[in-house]
Amino acid sequence: MEISVREKEQKGTRPADSELGFGTIFTDHMFNMDYSPDKGWFNPRIEPFEDIPLSPATMMLHYGQAIFEGLKAYKTAKGEIQLFRARDNFKRLNRSANGLCIPQIDEDFVMDCLKQLLKLEKNWIPETIGTSLYIRPTIIATDPFLGVRASNTYRFFIIFSPVGSYYAAGFNPVKIWVSKDHVRAIRGGVGEYKTAGNYAASLYASEEAKKEGYAQVLWLDGIERKYVEEVGAMNIFFNIGDELITPSLDGSILPGITRDSVLHLARKWKMNVSERKISIDELKTAYENKTLNEAFGSGTAAVISPVGLIKYGDEIMEIGGGKTGPMALKFHNAITDIQYGNAEDTESWIEKVE
Ligand SMILES: *Cc1c(COP(=O)(O)O)cnc(C)c1O
């Protein structure tokens, strides 16, 4: 398929790296493509970043049939542009599409479209370590129809946002709050897909946690409310004794690419690593026995986010003296060194754009 290009006449300017926040600034262009049952995916095009005119009856607005991805492009010290495990993001987008009755995309074709858009927008990619160009591929249901069914038509788009270092005040541990009353997802539901409704479902507890002064919610499983699942929109890891533990993917947890990268490195480094169920009671016991050494979240936005404190009911567990632990630091450095081209890409995770 031929990708048409319509360039913006008046190009914007990228703010200084030090002024970048997260998700507020968008670049000059976007990629768009539409789907209809008779044409399949059609009219792939690069156009100026602009509003999408939608009927107020658009199905996505009412029934939440929408999926997305989040990944980043990095600029190396030599000025090269590179992506980290981007094909895994498109594979996961197709997994989410299947779960939400959305038609599959051609992963190779969409990868080519992304690269072409990146080349056009290369001046928008920040250069300082810790900054990057955040990439948001999205698919929305576009039938104007009131009534619940899968849509017949869809829009696929990719937008870019230059983002700053996630750690404005350095690589510091966050305080997290265990939700006893709310759950994010249940097995058999859509928790393992990156779909809009999961984030709507997380808001009430997140706002509650924020009011109490906590950065994120630690989610327990939706059925027994006993097993740890995720933290905010990140996967979670614990170091108890000499074991590195992350909850197994059993249907209600988002299969994070950063999670998979941590597991891969941990196994390569011959660490004692387990993907298994871990209950909040096991955490409490480990805390009391002083064997809970570290906890950290993993996700594209922050890569690794150390956890310094967990609050569960009246109980407060301070972890690693509230400081960043050696494991969190080691994984953070190993992954970001590969992303920014400061270490050899021994795992073939990098895809060069230019
Ligand atoms: C995106 C996301 C993650 C992290 O996935 P990465 O591929 O590592 O960025 C974890 N949990 C939830 C709920 C997410 O949406």
Side-chain angles (χ1 to χ4, degrees):
M1 254 191 304
E2 192 70 26
I3 306 165
S4 67
V5 180
R6 179 164 60 88
E7 275 196 51
K8 196 172 169 181
E9 278 166 28
Q10 205 81 45
K11 303 265 172 18
T13 47
R14 171 167 60 89
D17 286 5
S18 59
E19 279 162 33
L20 292 171
F22 204 99
T24 52
I25 298 157
F26 304 101
T27 70
D28 290 320
H29 300 90
M30 67 188 294
F31 174 78
N32 279 306
M33 178 164 76
D34 295 296
Y35 180 90
S36 75
D38 52 326
K39 292 185 194 156
W41 287 108
F42 69 100
N43 196 11
R45 58 205 187 271
I46 288 171
E47 297 175 299
F49 179 99
E50 59 198 5
D51 292 351
I52 303 175
L54 291 173
S55 159
T58 300
M59 290 189 77
M60 176 274 293
L61 300 174
H62 301 269
Y63 312 115
Q65 196 190 6
I67 55 173
F68 64 90
E69 272 303 322
L71 66 156
K72 287 170 166 177
Y74 306 85
K75 202 172 263 179
T76 70
K78 287 187 220 145
E80 297 157 304
I81 301 165
Q82 53 188 35
L83 293 160
F84 180 75
R85 304 192 63 178
R87 283 176 197 275
D88 291 325
N89 288 94
F90 289 124
K91 214 178 280 167
R92 188 171 65 189
L93 187 66
N94 265 339
R95 246 187 113 252
S96 300
N98 186 52
L100 274 291
C101 303
I102 292 171
Q104 297 285 295
I105 50 153
D106 178 334
E107 293 164 22
D108 290 331
F109 176 69
V110 164
M111 190 73 200
D112 288 344
C113 301
L114 170 61
K115 284 184 177 172
Q116 191 174 333
L117 185 60
L118 276 170
K119 284 178 192 166
L120 181 64
E121 301 292 68
K122 65 180 171 200
N123 291 335
W124 281 98
I125 309 176
E127 288 162 7
T128 318
I129 290 277
T131 66
S132 56
L133 189 72
Y134 187 77
I135 301 168
R136 170 54 60 87
T138 307
I139 305 179
I140 58 171
T142 51
D143 279 8
F145 177 71
L146 297 182
V148 179
R149 58 157 170 79
S151 180
N152 292 312
T153 61
Y154 297 87
R155 165 72 63 94
F156 172 97
F157 63 85
I158 304 175
I159 54 173
F160 292 162
S161 176
V163 296
S165 170
Y166 202 78
Y167 305 108
F171 185 52
N172 287 322
V174 293
K175 296 190 335 183
I176 61 174
W177 190 79
V178 183
S179 179
K180 282 191 152 180
D181 299 330
H182 296 92
V183 298
R184 191 191 84 92
I186 52 157
R187 282 194 297 285
V190 292
E192 60 180 334
Y193 308 125
K194 249 176 148 67
T195 183
N198 286 333
Y199 306 86
S202 76
L203 296 177
Y204 195 96
S206 300
E207 291 300 312
E208 235 179 337
K210 260 187 230 157
K211 265 185 233 143
E212 303 281 327
Y214 292 82
Q216 304 272 3
V217 174
L218 184 68
W219 301 102
L220 300 182
D221 77 278
I223 295 166
E224 294 179 73
R225 301 199 190 173
K226 183 175 163 189
Y227 298 102
V228 174
E229 298 217 317
E230 299 199 56
V231 56
M234 288 185 287
N235 295 110
I236 183 93
F237 285 84
F238 300 101
N239 169 223
I240 297 179
D242 77 339
E243 188 185 10
L244 179 66
I245 307 155
T246 192
S248 36
L249 301 175
D250 49 15
S252 51
I253 295 175
L254 199 289
I257 292 164
T258 319
R259 174 189 182 277
D260 187 70
S261 306
V262 169
L263 286 173
H264 180 92
L265 291 176
R267 287 181 180 126
K268 184 176 166 177
W269 296 337
K270 305 268 189 280
M271 290 168 70
N272 175 13
V273 37
S274 319
E275 290 178 78
R276 64 169 175 86
K277 278 193 189 307
I278 175 161
S279 68
I280 190 78
D281 290 331
E282 181 181 349
L283 270 191
K284 262 170 32 189
T285 305
Y287 173 73
E288 282 153 16
N289 297 341
K290 302 199 171 9
T291 53
L292 176 56
N293 304 317
E294 279 190 54
F296 56 88
S298 73
T300 295
V303 187
I304 300 293
S305 183
V307 173
L309 187 149
I310 298 176
K311 185 175 192 294
Y312 178 57
D314 295 331
E315 238 163 309
I316 290 191
M317 303 180 240
E318 200 196 46
I319 305 171
K323 296 200 180 69
T324 298
M327 273 196 195
L329 193 63
K330 190 174 178 190
F331 286 116
H332 176 268
N333 291 348
I335 294 171
T336 54
D337 280 350
I338 293 174
Q339 290 170 334
Y340 288 94
N342 293 328
E344 198 193 331
D345 175 27
T346 47
E347 319 309 310
S348 301
W349 282 339
I350 294 300
E351 178 125 5
K352 293 240 188 276
V353 177
E354 197 173 274

